């Protein structure tokens, strides 16, 4: 499944971040170095997570890949081409509920397809297919206000996937859900990914989540964010919940926890901007 | 060994405080039975009517200051009968609706632009914020000078009374559209223009609708001010004119009509909100 670890013949990965830095200007006129010369890569159809303490800049890194924010220096390359603006090739799922509440579930999922001028019948077919895939068949005409948090995130996932992006970016997508729903969503995500492999860059602060889901994990330091460690997850796929009791899993969890603990201690007294 | 609970026993719900009785209604934010709620509403209105009757029929208050219910009903019947009340209502409704609608047509787009683009906020906000505080009645001499003393001047009063507030309210709604909504659109492939028309504007609709309801309510409060000058018809005019002849019962008829019309427009807008925006998360 994770055949993306091998770079393409020209040394290029699906997603390449080279020496990314981010500098913010604060309201008081000073500057903050949020991300410091960070480099990482994601292979084709690889599932990679970024884990780190709050405020370390992991969401910023993701937003740079999405093109929502410009790096102060460094480059973001998708298939070798630089990324500067948002686009449908990099779909994103956010943590907060970002469904368009004036549209039905089906219209939400069709949103990206409509932008591509796809005919209505084709849009509907694709929307219904993804709705079924996330287990919400029958909810086509519901409005977001009628859905629970987990259901909304499933629609958000379907909406992003239906648009067939080259890369799927996920910013703590399950962070606002309760623990049980979160686990179900993780399993759903893996199931979808097995069925239709995609390149995924996943940001989370939940160590277990990152190990359960990923092929590789980047551990970020506290601000200014740097890559502290790059850790391969050798657990076999497909992964079930049993994997969480596997000794290898537990060992990885311990290792990453220790790496992050020191960083978290640095991070807890940092004031947000 | 974990204990398995018997799932056929009913779940524990919060105990109904039957023993505390009336005192429990004083617990903050606690629900009260619907019959009690309705009874309290009806009782208040009934008590007010009884008090009104007692004060007037009992001779406690001079009928000049507070006409009796009979006097008011008499005046109402007379004015409905000879058609004058409808005439006043139509004249006022025209001024209110046209003035308010003009304000809406200009204020909503302007407000959305102001709330979405910091540049326009910088350009427009100081002016809007300043004029907002000017009392409309103080502007009447200027309005008479510029427009005259016909119906257009009265419409202008309503316009000014609602426009500046509405721009700022709408700007606030637009500014609070969650940025993640726009970002979601961008990552689905939307360009800026599409995000504006297909995400930002729909997202502002519930807030704007609410503000429309609120501002038409304010428009009613400017009616008397609007009809101060050379009106020949209108509920505000009715009140002012009745004062001259001390027809206090007619003043009350005018006030009650304004109050009921204002209440009706409020209810209409609440209904419109539910009908036109069924997806709205706001409880209108």
């Amino acid at each position: 499944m994770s055949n993306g670890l091998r770079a393409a013949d020209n040394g290029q990965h699906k997603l390449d971040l080279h020496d990314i830095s981010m500098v913010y200007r604060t309201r008081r006129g000073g500057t903050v170095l949020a991300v410091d010369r960070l480099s990482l890569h994601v292979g084709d159809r690889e599932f990679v997570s970024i884990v780190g303490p709050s405020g370390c800049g992991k969401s910023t890194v993701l937003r740079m890949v999405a093109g929502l924010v410009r790096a102060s220096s460094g480059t973001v390359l998708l298939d070798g081409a630089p990324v500067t603006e948002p686009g449908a090739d990099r779909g994103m799922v956010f943590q907060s509920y970002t469904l368009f509440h004036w549209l039905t579930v089906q219209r939400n999922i069709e949103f990206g397809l409509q932008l591509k001028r796809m005919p209505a019948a084709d849009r509907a077919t694709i929307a219904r297919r993804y709705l079924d895939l996330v287990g919400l068949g029958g909810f086509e005409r519901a409005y977001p206000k009628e859905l629970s948090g987990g259901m909304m995130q499933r629609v958000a996932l379907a909406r992003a996937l239906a648009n067939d992006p080259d890369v799927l970016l996920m910013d703590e997508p399950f962070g606002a859900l309760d623990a049980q729903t979160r686990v179900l969503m993780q399993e759903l995500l893996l199931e979808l990914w097995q069925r239709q492999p995609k390149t995924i860059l996943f940001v989370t602060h939940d160590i277990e989540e990152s190990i359960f889901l990923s092929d590789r994990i980047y551990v970020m330091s506290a601000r200014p964010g740097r890559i502290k460690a790059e850790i391969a997850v050798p657990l076999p796929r497909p992964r079930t919940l049993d994997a969480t009791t596997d000794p290898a899993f537990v060992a990885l969890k311990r290792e990453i926890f220790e790496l992050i603990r020191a960083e978290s201690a640095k991070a807890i007294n940092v004031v947000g901007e | 060994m974990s204990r398995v609970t018997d799932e056929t026993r009913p779940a524990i719900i919060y105990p109904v405080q039957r023993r505390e009785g009336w005192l429990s209604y004083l617990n903050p934010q606690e629900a009260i039975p619907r019959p009690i709620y309705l009874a309290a509403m009806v009782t208040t209105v009934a008590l007010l009517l009884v008090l009104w009757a007692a004060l007037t029929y009992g001779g406690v208050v001079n009928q000049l200051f507070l006409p009796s219910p009979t006097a008011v009903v008499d005046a109402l019947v007379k004015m409905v009968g000879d058609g004058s009340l409808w005439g006043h209502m139509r004249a006022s409704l025209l001024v209110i609706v046209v003035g308010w609608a003009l304000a809406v047509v200009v204020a909503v787009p302007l407000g959305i632009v102001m709330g979405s683009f910091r540049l326009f906020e910088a350009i427009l906000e100081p002016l809007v914020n300043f004029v907002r505080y000017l009392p409309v009645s103080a502007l009447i001499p200027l309005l008479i000078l510029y427009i005259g003393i016909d119906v257009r001047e009265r419409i202008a009063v309503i316009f000014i009374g609602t426009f500046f507030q509405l721009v700022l309210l709408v700007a606030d709604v637009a500014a609070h559209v969650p940025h993640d909504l726009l970002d979601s659109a961008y990552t689905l492939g939307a360009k800026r223009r599409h995000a504006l028309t297909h995400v930002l504007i729909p997202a502002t609709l519930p807030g704007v609708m609410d503000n429309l309801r609120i501002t038409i309510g304010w428009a009613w409060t400017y009616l008397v001010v609007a009809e101060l000058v050379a009106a020949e018809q209108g509920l505000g005019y009715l009140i002012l004119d009745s004062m001259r002849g001390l027809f206090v019962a007619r003043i009350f008829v005018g006030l009650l009509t304004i109050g009921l019309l204002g209440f009706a427009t409020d209810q209409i807008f609440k209904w419109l909100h539910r009908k036109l925006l069924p997806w709205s998360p706001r409880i209108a």
Side-chain angles (χ1 to χ4, degrees):
Chain A
M1 207 83 280
S2 49
N3 55 0
L5 282 172
R6 214 175 347 108
D9 285 343
N10 55 2
Q12 170 190 299
H13 298 102
K14 183 78 179 172
L15 193 59
D16 257 309
L17 275 66
H18 283 304
D19 285 341
I20 296 293
S21 290
M22 188 67 185
V23 179
Y24 285 120
R25 205 146 306 192
T26 63
R27 229 170 285 165
R28 273 174 250 129
T31 56
V32 170
L33 182 62
V35 178
D36 185 20
R37 283 161 304 161
L38 181 146
S39 294
L40 62 83
H41 64 90
V42 184
D44 189 30
R45 281 169 279 168
E46 205 188 357
F47 198 129
V48 171
S49 288
I50 303 178
V51 200
S54 317
C56 68
K58 51 192 193 293
S59 287
T60 308
V61 168
L62 205 66
R63 293 172 72 85
M64 287 197 266
V65 177
L68 297 169
V69 136
R70 280 260 190 127
S72 307
S73 63
T75 48
V76 178
L77 298 172
L78 176 64
D79 285 328
V83 154
T84 45
E85 286 196 338
D89 54 344
R90 283 148 292 134
M92 189 152 169
V93 179
F94 298 81
Q95 174 178 57
S96 51
Y97 308 137
T98 47
L99 295 186
F100 304 130
H101 42 273
W102 55 93
L103 296 177
T104 59
V105 163
Q106 179 166 338
R107 286 277 160 82
N108 259 281
I109 299 177
E110 290 179 359
F111 190 87
L113 306 173
Q114 199 155 9
L115 284 166
K116 292 178 183 156
R117 314 274 171 109
M118 193 180 285
D122 298 340
R123 289 200 309 256
T125 315
I126 294 182
R128 287 216 190 91
R129 184 164 137 248
Y130 280 94
L131 209 48
D132 285 333
L133 277 175
V134 298
L136 285 173
F139 282 90
E140 288 88 358
R141 281 203 295 260
Y143 282 114
K145 79 167 179 180
E146 305 166 60
L147 306 177
S148 70
M151 292 163 84
M152 283 199 263
Q153 283 305 71
R154 279 190 273 163
V155 175
L157 190 55
R159 181 176 67 178
L161 288 174
N163 215 23
D164 197 28
D166 282 344
V167 174
L168 185 61
L169 306 169
M170 305 184 82
D171 192 356
E172 309 205 46
F174 311 141
L177 305 172
D178 64 87
Q180 281 84 357
T181 314
R182 205 178 305 162
V183 167
L184 290 169
M185 293 292 289
Q186 289 162 8
E187 291 180 314
L188 174 65
L189 181 59
L190 277 188
E191 202 186 310
L192 291 171
W193 183 69
Q194 307 276 140
R195 214 193 272 253
Q196 245 185 12
K198 276 230 179 286
T199 311
I200 298 187
L201 186 56
F202 190 100
V203 161
T204 181
H205 62 267
D206 183 339
I207 299 174
E208 280 204 21
E209 183 172 66
S210 66
I211 301 175
F212 182 65
L213 294 172
S214 329
D215 295 315
R216 263 187 315 128
I217 301 173
Y218 284 103
V219 180
M220 267 182 82
S221 69
R223 187 198 288 173
R226 299 182 191 101
I227 298 294
K228 189 156 178 176
E230 182 187 337
I231 296 179
V233 181
L235 300 168
R237 291 192 191 271
R239 294 178 191 161
T240 61
L241 273 186
D242 293 336
T244 58
T245 48
D246 184 326
F249 188 104
V250 178
L252 270 173
K253 185 175 161 194
R254 186 67 197 269
E255 183 186 349
I256 298 178
F257 179 76
E258 290 299 325
L259 282 168
I260 290 192
R261 186 159 56 158
E263 299 300 324
S264 291
K266 275 187 238 162
I268 52 173
N269 284 329
V270 174
V271 176
E273 285 303 317
Chain B
M1 197 63 157
S2 52
R3 214 161 14 114
V4 176
T5 55
D6 181 357
E7 284 177 3
T8 60
R9 250 188 292 140
I12 297 174
I13 41 181
Y14 296 104
V16 176
Q17 294 167 320
R18 267 186 223 108
R19 257 166 289 160
E20 281 191 46
W22 298 94
L23 274 175
S24 72
Y25 299 156
L26 291 176
N27 294 333
Q29 299 187 354
E30 189 155 306
I32 60 175
R34 186 140 178 91
I36 304 283
Y37 193 94
L38 290 170
M41 276 173 65
V42 171
T43 310
T44 314
V45 177
L47 274 175
L48 279 171
L49 288 172
V50 166
L51 184 66
W52 183 13
L55 288 173
T56 50
Y57 296 132
V60 178
V61 178
N62 190 333
Q63 291 244 353
L64 180 66
F65 299 142
L66 184 68
S68 66
T70 340
V72 174
V73 170
D74 273 346
L76 175 66
V77 166
K78 193 146 72 110
M79 294 187 66
V80 168
D82 65 17
S84 59
L85 189 61
W86 306 120
H88 292 307
M89 270 175 64
R90 257 203 309 273
S92 291
L93 276 170
L94 174 76
V95 168
I96 294 259
V97 170
V98 172
W100 173 84
L102 281 174
V104 166
V105 160
V106 183
V108 171
L110 207 60
I112 291 181
V113 163
M114 253 182 82
S116 309
F117 303 107
R118 292 288 173 86
L119 180 63
F120 288 100
E121 178 193 288
I123 293 173
L124 294 166
E125 214 220 353
L127 177 68
V128 171
N129 232 338
F130 176 76
V131 179
R132 174 163 76 113
Y133 290 109
L134 300 178
V136 181
S137 41
L139 292 170
I140 288 185
L142 279 179
L143 288 175
I144 297 176
L145 199 60
Y146 298 152
I147 302 177
I149 55 172
D150 58 12
V151 71
R152 293 175 307 162
E153 184 264 346
R154 295 193 281 284
I155 290 176
V157 170
I158 302 295
F159 177 89
I160 292 181
T162 46
F163 173 79
F164 293 93
Q165 320 278 9
L166 190 57
V167 174
L168 291 173
L169 286 173
V170 171
D172 196 57
V173 169
H176 281 94
V177 171
H179 204 265
D180 278 350
L181 273 181
L182 293 169
D183 286 342
S184 292
Y186 296 143
T187 58
L188 287 165
K191 294 290 172 217
R192 205 168 43 186
R193 158 106 65 102
H194 197 94
L196 203 66
T197 51
H198 284 71
V199 176
L200 195 130
I201 290 181
T204 60
L205 286 176
V208 168
M209 186 62 127
D210 253 358
N211 290 332
L212 294 187
R213 178 177 62 86
I214 292 171
T215 49
I216 200 172
W218 291 345
W220 282 107
T221 64
Y222 284 110
L223 191 57
V224 173
V225 169
E227 293 177 351
L228 258 178
V229 181
E232 279 156 38
Q233 281 219 302
L235 295 165
Y237 163 78
L238 166 66
I239 292 172
L240 293 162
D241 187 57
S242 302
M243 196 55 215
R244 284 191 215 114
L246 286 178
F247 296 117
V248 189
R250 281 168 44 175
I251 294 181
F252 272 75
V253 169
L255 287 172
L256 281 170
T257 314
I258 294 180
L260 281 170
L261 283 174
F263 179 76
T265 48
D266 195 70
Q267 293 298 103
I268 289 174
F269 271 88
K270 282 192 175 156
W271 176 81
L272 272 176
H273 192 132
R274 277 196 305 272
K275 270 284 169 247
L276 296 176
L277 311 175
W279 43 263
S280 166
R282 278 174 198 245
I283 314 157

